[in-house]
């Protein structure tokens, strides 16, 4: 997937656990793990805003686009 999720980077910078972040955001640790591991198909803006508020960051600190490898290129 060309969108990479860097929640784990921000968690390390903030010295925060997945459980603590899940509590602050109001989602289950399991759902946060799905998002953190890049398995989510979508994220609500409200959830993204809550993540940014809890981690004191911008959406671009959590999500980034990477070009996909193209065959023969």
């Amino acid at each position: 997937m060309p969108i990479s999720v860097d929640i784990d980077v921000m968690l390390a910078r903030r010295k925060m656990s997945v459980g603590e972040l899940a509590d602050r955001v109001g989602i289950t640790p399991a759902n946060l793990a799905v998002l953190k591991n890049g398995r989510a198909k979508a994220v609500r803006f409200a959830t993204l805003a809550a993540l940014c508020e809890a981690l004191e960051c911008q959406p671009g600190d959590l999500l980034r686009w990477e070009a996909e490898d193209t065959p023969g290129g």
Side-chain angles (χ1 to χ4, degrees), residues 7-29:
I7 290 175
D8 52 348
V9 173
M10 293 306 297
L11 282 170
R13 287 183 184 167
R14 301 297 187 251
K15 296 181 173 79
M16 189 182 299
S17 70
V18 171
E20 181 181 351
L21 180 59
D23 286 344
R24 288 184 182 197
V25 173
I27 61 176
T28 66

Side-chain angles (χ1 to χ4, degrees), residues 7 11 16-29 31-32 35 43-56 62:
I7 290 175
L11 282 170
M16 189 182 299
S17 70
V18 171
E20 181 181 351
L21 180 59
D23 286 344
R24 288 184 182 197
V25 173
I27 61 176
T28 66
N31 283 340
L32 182 55
L35 181 59
V43 60
R44 290 186 173 113
F45 281 160
T47 302
L48 184 58
L51 287 166
C52 290
E53 182 177 355
L55 293 168
E56 298 178 359
L62 302 177

